[in-house]
Each structure stands twice: as structure tokens, then as C-alpha cells.
Amino acid sequence: MHADPGVIFAELRAFERSAALKGAIDLELFTHIDDGSTTPQEIAGKTGASPRGVRILCDFLTVTGHLTKFGESYGLTMNSQILLSKRSPSYLGSISDFLAGDQQHAALWQVAAAVRKGGSVSEEALTPDSPMWSVFARAMAPMIRVFAAAAIPRVLSGEAAADVPMKVLDIAAGHGLWGITLLQQNPSAEVTGQDWPTVLEVARENAQKAGVADRYHILPGSAFEVDFGIGWDLILEPNFAHHVDQATNIKLFRKIASSLKSGGRIALIDFIPNDDRVSPPLAAGFALTMLTATPQGDVYTFAEYEHMLGEAGFHDAKLVELGPMPQRLITAVA
Amino acid sequence: MHADPGVIFAELRAFERSAALKGAIDLELFTHIDDGSTTPQEIAGKTGASPRGVRILCDFLTVTGHLTKFGESYGLTMNSQILLSKRSPSYLGSISDFLAGDQQHAALWQVAAAVRKGGSVSEEALTPDSPMWSVFARAMAPMIRVFAAAAIPRVLSGEAAADVPMKVLDIAAGHGLWGITLLQQNPSAEVTGQDWPTVLEVARENAQKAGVADRYHILPGSAFEVDFGIGWDLILEPNFAHHVDQATNIKLFRKIASSLKSGGRIALIDFIPNDDRVSPPLAAGFALTMLTATPQGDVYTFAEYEHMLGEAGFHDAKLVELGPMPQRLITAVA
């Protein structure tokens, strides 16, 4: 028979790979190995864990390519050293707290129920006012920092010059890093981050660390309810539109359009699949995350964004690739 | 930087792939498509699910290679058609009930806690008397049936002839398929399946379906407590030794040795890693399943089995590959 049960077996057990990596990050296994504890006994001594447990987990991580093994000693791969040891300035293990956190995981596990209902069945769905956004803001910062550094030059490429004075609103700012990166790249810009007060605390900390706190302002409240004011040159809306349905997006786009200066721009950064909705893989696959984690979220194609933006009075919508990050950029003029 | 955050991201979210496939099997999505319902509307009509939910799940399954898509219609890959449609005689979607079932999944998700403790922290750990063994026996039968057909000839290759009369005991028989397959391949054999009474019901059903019920006998009770009697030519112990520690294995091997005829054989079928304990991948990786799902389970190398069997009085231990199945066979003589 031309069928491979191994593929089905591996797919049904793929969750074990997530569980193992999440567990290793929680135990700071990669950091202990980086510090020179390389045998199960030594690592167990540092973590207060069982040597047998450490040995089994390290073997599994060797099988899945996150560790190396020589005799009874484990070592770090280059990827683990750079990204998963807390000694590295590029450490991003914290993303596990959000991406494989218990709340996300519990919601995403219930696929059949979410498909039946057509939306999240989780009591802690990722609504715009979910307390998860504070976790998100702290957990995802290291990854977003890398993405923002790559994306913001492309957001600003529509401007006349790099240091043109501009008033920027960052919607659902979270960690604040999109706006903060913009402030670093344009010393004449002023950015206001809008989000819930507890989330904006994280943004303020990040603005301070980045040395741009004097040009970073806050607007606490819900994106759907708070008054945006008027006169913005640029309004950023990164990773937000996918949480809600098209009607809600159009409503928010209208509010954004009426808050921008004439000729001002909206910059959406989001998972945007091709028209076939099954490519590229990460952007297309992200729809399932939204189905299981939100009441009405989805991913939208560029054609759908063009339609929603047009309904809200925007024109000249443009799609810009942000590779290697999985999101794309859409800009449009009010 | 020579690091790829995408690898970490994908690994932390691998559980979504398991959740999607498990959800699709639960919804009988592949069967509905096989029956000719190929659009989200049509499939939703059959499943009583939301068209939006079906569309998003089918797109995800297309991304992960389990479906094809043309326009708004989905189709089956060859693997999905043969293995995941209930119209196929080779359907094995039921394995999801065990491999990605809520109980296994909940235990396996808690890696850090299990590593700290050195064993399962789940209240429903896979102890030999767990009620999960009835689920296991029903869910895994289609996959084991294929494995047993490939493995039993190699178990029997130590015998003088294919139809030599033999008295066989199958320890922790579960679905009974190892013994039943042996009965099909040797018309002169008699097999006794030992397991809990509720589990043996499944074995008896399978023996009846296979037309060998008249030569299939049962011995209800715990492998550690029930009297095996004496005079067995062959004692099968498939997929059982990994649930317990070495001391417990030696104890059971002694009991087996004293129940076999002089010159009788034990046949262990199990996940047996190489001495490095990190290859081959499935056998080595299975240790983490045992760490998180059982109090003291593990995988053992051939050298460790040779030692345990030797302690119990066995000699002439032999390791036999069972490829393409991930388990290996060890035989030894009492």
C-alpha cells in the first residue's frame, strides 16, 4: 500500500515536540548547559530536577535537533546557543510563555469544537481586552524587536526623508516595539501608543530602555472606544486586524481614516495569505490560531484588505513583502 | 546572525498540527470529502459544523499536506484517502483517540514538572492497571494489525516449522493482535491472552473477527500478580517492558522464565534505542512519553535488556530489526 502511517503518527504526536521545548525553556536547560553543566547529574543539580528526567528530556531534544550529545554530555546547537540561552543577547525563549502558554494551548487544542461553533470555545479567548495581552507584550518582545527592525524602514520608505517630523499613533501597541523602533529610526518622530493601561506599562519600560521615552506618549483604553484625536501623519496597526471580523475592521479603519491628516497613511502589518488562502504556509495557517483563540478572527487576503480599506475611505493600498518575517505590510492613504 | 527563530516558533506551535489533525479525524472530515462533499458549505452540512470553521481547518490541513485544494474544493491526498477515510479498509484514524487523546495529551504536556519529579505528574498515569488500556486496545488496533503481520513471522522464525504445535502466552495482550496474528500464521498454535477483563473483551472480539476464537484463551488479571502456570513454548511481551523500571522488569522476566518450558523462548517487542540513546529517532524519543505518562517507565538498550534477561536466567538474547516498524524484537531462551 502506498501510504505511510508514520506521517499520521508523527503529526498526532507533534505536540510532544512543543511540550519538550517548552519544558526545557521553563527549566532553563539551555542556559545551564551554556554555563558548563553538561551531564544529567550536573544539570539536575542546577535545576533541582531528577537526573533521570533531565537525561530523558536531553535525549529527546537531541533527537529533535536542539541539543548535541557526546558520551554522557550534552551541548548546544548554534540555534539553541543564540536563541535559547539566557546568556545570549538574542535570547527569545520567553516567546514560549505566549506561543505555548497554557491559555493559548488550551484554546488551540479544541479544534473540533471551534470548527463546530465557528469560533473559539475557550473561556479565555483572545478578545481585545484579554489579560493575556500583558503576557503577550512581555513574552513576544524579543522576537518582535527583530521583526520591527526589519519592517519599520519599509513602513517609513513612503516618507520624504528619514528624519521628517511626524506624529504617529500605534494601535494596540502592546510591547510598543513597532513605535519604539520607528522613534529610533526617525529622531524627529513622536509616537503615541494606545492599549490597555497594564499593557502600556510594558511599552513604557521598553521605551525607557531604548532611550526614547521623551518622545513616547500613551493613550490608554480600547481601540474601539478611546478617542484617537486628529492630525496623525501615520497610524500603525500591527498584528491586530486578524483578531476581528471584516465588519469590525471596516469600522476601525473608518475611525482611523477620520483621525489621520489628509494624505496621512495607515500601515497594517499582518499575516496576509495569497488568494488561494493556503500559501504562504505561516500566514495561511495562522487562520486556525484565530479560529480557535478568538470569537471572529481570521486572516485576510490583500484583496479583502483592499476592499475593507476602500469601504473606510482609503485609497492607493499597497502590499509590501517583509521577508524573512511571515507578516506582510499594507499601506493606504486617507 | 546565523540563527533561525522560525525553527523555534514552528517547534513551539507544533501542537497545533496535532490539534488540527485530531480535530479533523473527530469531525470525520476525510470521510465526508471521500463521500463527495468537497466545499466548506457541503462539509459543514454533513458535520453540523460552521462553514467558516470548516474552511479554516481545511486550509490548515492543506498547508500541512493532508488535503489538496482546487478553487473552493478540497480533496484527499493518497495518504489521507487510505489511512483517514472511514471508507478505506486501512482506516487508522482511531489511533488519534489514544495518541492525541485528552489523557495522554494532558500528561505529556507537563514536561518540566515530570523532569523535576523524574516521572509522571498526571493523576491518570499509564500504570499497568490504568483504565486507558481499553481505549488503547480499541484505538491502536488498526496500526498494530499492520505491525503484527510484519513482526510475527520474525518471532516464529526461531521455530522448526510454521505449523508446529505450540502453547503461547501473550502478556498484557490488549487488543490481542500479536497473539491473534500468530494464530493466523500457525494453525497448530494455541494462544492465551493475559490482561484486565475489560481489555480482554476487545481481544476476544478481535479473535472472533479473525476466525481464531477457538484457539484463543484468556487469563484475566495483572501480569505482576496472576499465576502464569507452566509449560509455555513461547511467551510474548509486546510493548510492555517500557512501562516499568529495570528492577520490575527483572522480576517479571524471572516469573516468565519459570513459566516457560526448558528451552522455551521469550519474545519482547519494544522501542529499543541504540547505545547512544538518541537513535533511531522514534525509539529514542519514546522515552519522553514514558517519563511523562508513567511513574518509572523508560526505553532500554539491547545491552540493558541483555543484562535484565541474564539476571532472570535467560540466555542467547538476540536483537532482530522489525523495520519499517519502529519497534525491535528481542528473543531469549529460558
Side-chain angles (χ1 to χ4, degrees):
Chain A
M1 112 176 135
H2 298 285
D4 182 0
V7 170
I8 309 299
F9 187 97
E11 195 84 335
L12 289 171
R13 295 296 272 209
F15 70 88
E16 227 176 341
R17 301 177 66 114
S18 304
L21 186 55
K22 171 186 155 61
I25 291 170
D26 289 350
L27 291 162
E28 304 190 354
L29 209 69
F30 303 101
T31 309
H32 293 306
I33 294 174
D34 206 8
D35 286 344
S37 302
T38 63
T39 67
Q41 287 291 349
E42 289 167 0
I43 298 166
K46 288 289 174 67
T47 56
S50 130
R52 161 184 140 83
V54 170
R55 185 254 301 162
I56 291 176
L57 177 55
C58 288
D59 281 343
F60 190 91
L61 294 167
T62 305
V63 171
T64 52
H66 303 292
L67 291 179
T68 60
K69 184 177 184 182
F70 186 76
E72 302 303 309
S73 284
Y74 300 93
L76 300 177
T77 62
M78 186 178 286
N79 226 32
S80 300
Q81 177 119 39
I82 295 175
L83 302 175
L84 298 176
S85 166
K86 287 193 167 173
R87 305 299 168 232
S88 161
S90 302
Y91 175 76
L92 52 64
S94 62
I95 64 173
S96 173
D97 293 343
F98 183 73
L99 293 177
D102 287 341
Q103 192 252 21
Q104 279 263 308
H105 170 256
L108 271 54
W109 192 251
Q110 302 178 68
V111 168
V115 169
R116 286 198 184 96
K117 182 180 174 182
S120 181
V121 294
S122 170
E123 284 176 20
E124 303 173 279
L126 279 180
T127 48
D129 61 343
S130 164
M132 270 303 285
W133 294 120
S134 293
V135 176
F136 171 84
R138 291 188 194 279
M140 296 300 285
M143 182 166 257
I144 300 293
R145 195 169 278 123
V146 177
F147 284 171
I152 291 298
R154 283 173 267 192
V155 172
L156 291 178
S157 70
E159 302 302 322
D163 63 347
V164 63
M166 59 194 302
K167 237 184 100 195
V168 180
L169 177 64
D170 184 9
I171 291 182
H175 36 67
L177 292 169
W178 302 99
I180 289 164
T181 303
L182 190 149
L183 289 174
Q184 292 175 311
Q185 296 186 7
N186 179 349
S188 304
E190 301 271 329
V191 168
T192 299
Q194 170 273 317
D195 213 320
W196 298 100
T198 49
V199 185
L200 286 176
E201 281 171 31
V202 186
R204 283 245 257 217
E205 282 170 30
N206 286 333
Q208 224 128 30
K209 279 186 222 159
V212 297
D214 55 321
R215 292 181 289 132
Y216 194 81
H217 318 289
I218 59 169
L219 178 62
S222 153
F224 300 106
E225 287 160 26
V226 74
D227 185 355
F228 289 163
I230 54 165
W232 303 101
D233 295 289
L234 176 66
I235 297 187
L236 300 176
E237 192 191 317
N239 292 323
F240 189 72
H242 55 242
H243 293 102
V244 293
D245 64 12
Q246 296 207 31
T248 309
N249 274 316
I250 291 171
K251 213 170 129 189
L252 186 59
F253 292 161
R254 284 200 180 114
K255 183 173 169 180
I256 291 170
S258 66
S259 304
L260 283 164
K261 268 188 194 161
S262 171
R265 291 184 306 138
I266 184 173
L268 297 160
I269 293 169
D270 218 306
F271 293 98
I272 300 169
N274 300 330
D275 288 340
D276 63 12
R277 305 191 85 90
V278 292
S279 67
L282 277 180
F286 191 73
L288 187 68
T289 305
M290 289 300 99
L291 175 74
T292 50
T294 71
Q296 287 287 336
D298 204 341
V299 294
Y300 303 106
T301 63
F302 177 61
E304 288 170 327
Y305 274 111
E306 216 172 9
H307 165 76
M308 292 187 274
L309 289 165
E311 288 288 303
F314 284 95
H315 56 92
D316 284 333
K318 285 194 182 69
L319 181 68
V320 181
E321 298 292 336
L322 296 178
M325 58 183 279
Q327 286 100 328
R328 289 164 162 173
L329 166 67
I330 292 175
T331 61
V333 181
Chain B
M1 112 177 137
H2 298 285
D4 182 1
V7 170
I8 310 299
F9 187 98
E11 195 82 336
L12 289 171
R13 295 296 272 207
F15 71 88
E16 229 177 339
R17 301 176 66 113
S18 304
L21 185 55
K22 172 186 153 61
I25 290 170
D26 289 350
L27 292 161
E28 305 189 352
L29 210 68
F30 303 101
T31 309
H32 293 307
I33 294 173
D34 206 8
D35 286 344
S37 302
T38 64
T39 67
Q41 287 291 350
E42 289 167 359
I43 298 166
K46 287 288 174 65
T47 57
S50 130
R52 161 184 141 83
V54 170
R55 185 253 302 161
I56 290 176
L57 176 57
C58 287
D59 281 344
F60 189 92
L61 294 167
T62 304
V63 170
T64 51
H66 303 293
L67 290 179
T68 60
K69 184 178 183 182
F70 187 77
E72 303 302 310
S73 284
Y74 301 92
L76 300 178
T77 62
M78 187 177 288
N79 226 31
S80 300
Q81 178 120 38
I82 294 175
L83 302 175
L84 299 176
S85 165
K86 287 193 168 173
R87 305 298 168 233
S88 161
S90 303
Y91 175 77
L92 52 64
S94 62
I95 63 174
S96 173
D97 293 343
F98 183 73
L99 294 176
D102 288 341
Q103 191 252 23
Q104 278 263 307
H105 170 256
L108 271 53
W109 192 249
Q110 302 179 68
V111 169
V115 170
R116 286 198 184 94
K117 181 180 175 183
S120 181
V121 295
S122 169
E123 285 176 20
E124 301 174 279
L126 279 180
T127 48
D129 61 342
S130 165
M132 271 303 285
W133 294 121
S134 293
V135 177
F136 171 84
R138 290 189 195 279
M140 297 300 284
M143 182 167 259
I144 300 293
R145 195 169 279 124
V146 177
F147 284 172
I152 291 298
R154 283 173 267 192
V155 172
L156 291 178
S157 70
E159 302 302 322
D163 63 346
V164 63
M166 57 194 303
K167 236 184 101 194
V168 180
L169 177 64
D170 184 9
I171 291 182
H175 35 67
L177 292 169
W178 303 98
I180 289 164
T181 304
L182 191 149
L183 289 174
Q184 292 175 310
Q185 296 186 5
N186 180 346
S188 304
E190 300 272 329
V191 168
T192 299
Q194 169 273 317
D195 213 319
W196 299 100
T198 49
V199 185
L200 286 176
E201 281 171 32
V202 185
R204 282 243 257 217
E205 281 170 31
N206 287 332
Q208 223 127 32
K209 277 186 224 159
V212 296
D214 54 322
R215 291 181 290 132
Y216 195 81
H217 318 289
I218 59 170
L219 179 62
S222 153
F224 300 107
E225 287 160 24
V226 76
D227 184 355
F228 289 163
I230 54 165
W232 303 102
D233 295 287
L234 176 66
I235 297 187
L236 301 175
E237 193 192 318
N239 292 322
F240 189 71
H242 55 242
H243 292 102
V244 294
D245 64 12
Q246 296 205 30
T248 309
N249 274 316
I250 291 171
K251 214 171 128 190
L252 187 58
F253 292 161
R254 284 201 180 114
K255 182 173 171 180
I256 292 170
S258 67
S259 304
L260 283 165
K261 267 188 195 162
S262 170
R265 293 184 307 137
I266 184 172
L268 297 159
I269 293 169
D270 218 305
F271 292 97
I272 301 169
N274 299 331
D275 288 341
D276 63 12
R277 306 190 83 88
V278 291
S279 65
L282 277 180
F286 190 73
L288 187 69
T289 305
M290 289 300 100
L291 176 73
T292 51
T294 71
Q296 287 287 335
D298 204 341
V299 294
Y300 304 106
T301 63
F302 177 60
E304 288 170 327
Y305 274 110
E306 216 172 9
H307 166 75
M308 292 187 275
L309 289 165
E311 287 288 303
F314 283 96
H315 57 90
D316 283 333
K318 284 195 183 69
L319 181 66
V320 181
E321 298 291 338
L322 296 178
M325 58 183 278
Q327 286 100 326
R328 289 164 162 172
L329 166 68
I330 292 176
T331 61
V333 181

CSV table of all heavy atoms in Angstrom, one decimal, chain B residues 312-331:
chain,number,residue,atom,x,y,z
B,312,ALA,N,17.6,-12.7,35.0
B,312,ALA,CA,16.4,-13.6,35.2
B,312,ALA,C,16.6,-15.0,34.8
B,312,ALA,O,15.7,-15.8,34.8
B,312,ALA,CB,15.2,-12.9,34.5
B,313,GLY,N,17.8,-15.3,34.3
B,313,GLY,CA,18.1,-16.7,33.9
B,313,GLY,C,18.0,-17.0,32.5
B,313,GLY,O,18.1,-18.2,32.1
B,314,PHE,N,17.7,-16.0,31.6
B,314,PHE,CA,17.7,-16.2,30.2
B,314,PHE,C,19.1,-16.2,29.6
B,314,PHE,O,20.0,-15.6,30.1
B,314,PHE,CB,16.8,-15.1,29.5
B,314,PHE,CG,15.4,-15.3,29.7
B,314,PHE,CD1,14.7,-14.6,30.7
B,314,PHE,CD2,14.6,-16.1,28.8
B,314,PHE,CE1,13.3,-14.8,30.9
B,314,PHE,CE2,13.2,-16.3,29.0
B,314,PHE,CZ,12.6,-15.6,30.0
B,315,HIS,N,19.2,-16.9,28.4
B,315,HIS,CA,20.5,-16.8,27.7
B,315,HIS,C,20.2,-16.7,26.2
B,315,HIS,O,19.0,-16.8,25.8
B,315,HIS,CB,21.3,-18.1,28.0
B,315,HIS,CG,20.6,-19.4,27.7
B,315,HIS,ND1,20.7,-20.0,26.5
B,315,HIS,CD2,19.8,-20.2,28.5
B,315,HIS,CE1,20.0,-21.1,26.5
B,315,HIS,NE2,19.4,-21.3,27.7
B,316,ASP,N,21.2,-16.5,25.4
B,316,ASP,CA,21.1,-16.4,24.0
B,316,ASP,C,20.2,-15.3,23.5
B,316,ASP,O,19.3,-15.5,22.6
B,316,ASP,CB,20.7,-17.7,23.3
B,316,ASP,CG,21.8,-18.7,23.3
B,316,ASP,OD1,23.0,-18.3,23.2
B,316,ASP,OD2,21.5,-19.9,23.3
B,317,ALA,N,20.3,-14.1,24.2
B,317,ALA,CA,19.4,-13.0,23.8
B,317,ALA,C,19.8,-12.5,22.4
B,317,ALA,O,21.0,-12.4,22.1
B,317,ALA,CB,19.5,-11.8,24.8
B,318,LYS,N,18.9,-12.3,21.5
B,318,LYS,CA,19.1,-11.8,20.1
B,318,LYS,C,18.3,-10.6,19.8
B,318,LYS,O,17.1,-10.6,20.2
B,318,LYS,CB,18.8,-12.9,19.2
B,318,LYS,CG,19.7,-14.1,19.1
B,318,LYS,CD,19.5,-14.9,17.8
B,318,LYS,CE,20.4,-16.1,17.8
B,318,LYS,NZ,20.1,-17.1,18.9
B,319,LEU,N,18.9,-9.6,19.1
B,319,LEU,CA,18.2,-8.4,18.7
B,319,LEU,C,17.8,-8.6,17.2
B,319,LEU,O,18.7,-8.9,16.4
B,319,LEU,CB,19.0,-7.2,18.9
B,319,LEU,CG,18.4,-5.8,18.5
B,319,LEU,CD1,17.3,-5.5,19.4
B,319,LEU,CD2,19.5,-4.7,18.6
B,320,VAL,N,16.5,-8.4,16.9
B,320,VAL,CA,16.1,-8.5,15.5
B,320,VAL,C,15.4,-7.2,15.1
B,320,VAL,O,14.5,-6.8,15.8
B,320,VAL,CB,15.1,-9.7,15.4
B,320,VAL,CG1,14.7,-9.9,13.9
B,320,VAL,CG2,15.8,-11.0,15.9
B,321,GLU,N,15.8,-6.7,13.9
B,321,GLU,CA,15.1,-5.5,13.4
B,321,GLU,C,13.7,-5.8,12.9
B,321,GLU,O,13.5,-6.9,12.3
B,321,GLU,CB,15.9,-4.9,12.3
B,321,GLU,CG,17.3,-4.4,12.7
B,321,GLU,CD,17.3,-3.2,13.6
B,321,GLU,OE1,16.3,-2.5,13.6
B,321,GLU,OE2,18.3,-3.0,14.3
B,322,LEU,N,12.8,-5.0,13.1
B,322,LEU,CA,11.4,-5.2,12.6
B,322,LEU,C,11.0,-4.1,11.5
B,322,LEU,O,9.8,-4.0,11.3
B,322,LEU,CB,10.4,-5.2,13.7
B,322,LEU,CG,10.6,-6.4,14.7
B,322,LEU,CD1,9.5,-6.2,15.9
B,322,LEU,CD2,10.4,-7.7,14.0
B,323,GLY,N,12.0,-3.4,11.0
B,323,GLY,CA,11.6,-2.3,10.1
B,323,GLY,C,10.6,-2.8,9.0
B,323,GLY,O,10.7,-3.9,8.6
B,324,PRO,N,9.7,-1.9,8.6
B,324,PRO,CA,9.6,-0.5,8.9
B,324,PRO,C,9.0,-0.1,10.2
B,324,PRO,O,8.9,1.1,10.4
B,324,PRO,CB,8.7,0.0,7.7
B,324,PRO,CG,7.8,-1.1,7.4
B,324,PRO,CD,8.6,-2.4,7.8
B,325,MET,N,8.6,-1.0,11.0
B,325,MET,CA,8.0,-0.6,12.3
B,325,MET,C,9.1,-0.1,13.2
B,325,MET,O,10.3,-0.5,13.2
B,325,MET,CB,7.1,-1.6,12.9
B,325,MET,CG,7.7,-3.0,13.2
B,325,MET,SD,6.5,-4.2,13.9
B,325,MET,CE,6.4,-3.7,15.7
B,326,PRO,N,8.8,0.9,14.1
B,326,PRO,CA,9.8,1.5,14.9
B,326,PRO,C,10.3,0.6,16.1
B,326,PRO,O,11.3,0.9,16.7
B,326,PRO,CB,9.1,2.8,15.5
B,326,PRO,CG,7.7,2.5,15.4
B,326,PRO,CD,7.5,1.5,14.3
B,327,GLN,N,9.6,-0.5,16.4
B,327,GLN,CA,10.0,-1.4,17.4
B,327,GLN,C,11.0,-2.4,16.9
B,327,GLN,O,11.2,-2.6,15.7
B,327,GLN,CB,8.8,-2.1,18.1
B,327,GLN,CG,7.9,-1.2,19.0
B,327,GLN,CD,6.7,-0.8,18.2
B,327,GLN,OE1,6.7,-0.5,17.0
B,327,GLN,NE2,5.6,-0.6,19.0
B,328,ARG,N,11.7,-3.0,17.9
B,328,ARG,CA,12.6,-4.1,17.6
B,328,ARG,C,12.2,-5.3,18.4
B,328,ARG,O,11.4,-5.2,19.4
B,328,ARG,CB,14.0,-3.7,17.9
B,328,ARG,CG,14.6,-2.7,17.0
B,328,ARG,CD,15.9,-2.1,17.5
B,328,ARG,NE,16.7,-1.4,16.5
B,328,ARG,CZ,17.7,-0.6,16.8
B,328,ARG,NH1,18.1,-0.4,18.0
B,328,ARG,NH2,18.4,0.0,15.8
B,329,LEU,N,12.7,-6.5,18.0
B,329,LEU,CA,12.4,-7.7,18.7
B,329,LEU,C,13.6,-8.2,19.4
B,329,LEU,O,14.7,-8.2,18.9
B,329,LEU,CB,11.9,-8.7,17.6
B,329,LEU,CG,11.8,-10.2,18.0
B,329,LEU,CD1,10.7,-10.5,19.0
B,329,LEU,CD2,11.6,-11.1,16.7
B,330,ILE,N,13.4,-8.7,20.6
B,330,ILE,CA,14.4,-9.4,21.3
B,330,ILE,C,13.9,-10.8,21.7
B,330,ILE,O,12.8,-10.9,22.3
B,330,ILE,CB,14.9,-8.7,22.6
B,330,ILE,CG1,15.6,-7.4,22.3
B,330,ILE,CG2,15.8,-9.6,23.4
B,330,ILE,CD1,16.0,-6.6,23.5
B,331,THR,N,14.6,-11.8,21.4
B,331,THR,CA,14.2,-13.2,21.8
B,331,THR,C,15.4,-13.7,22.7
B,331,THR,O,16.5,-13.3,22.6
B,331,THR,CB,14.1,-14.2,20.7
B,331,THR,OG1,15.3,-14.3,20.0
B,331,THR,CG2,13.0,-13.7,19.7
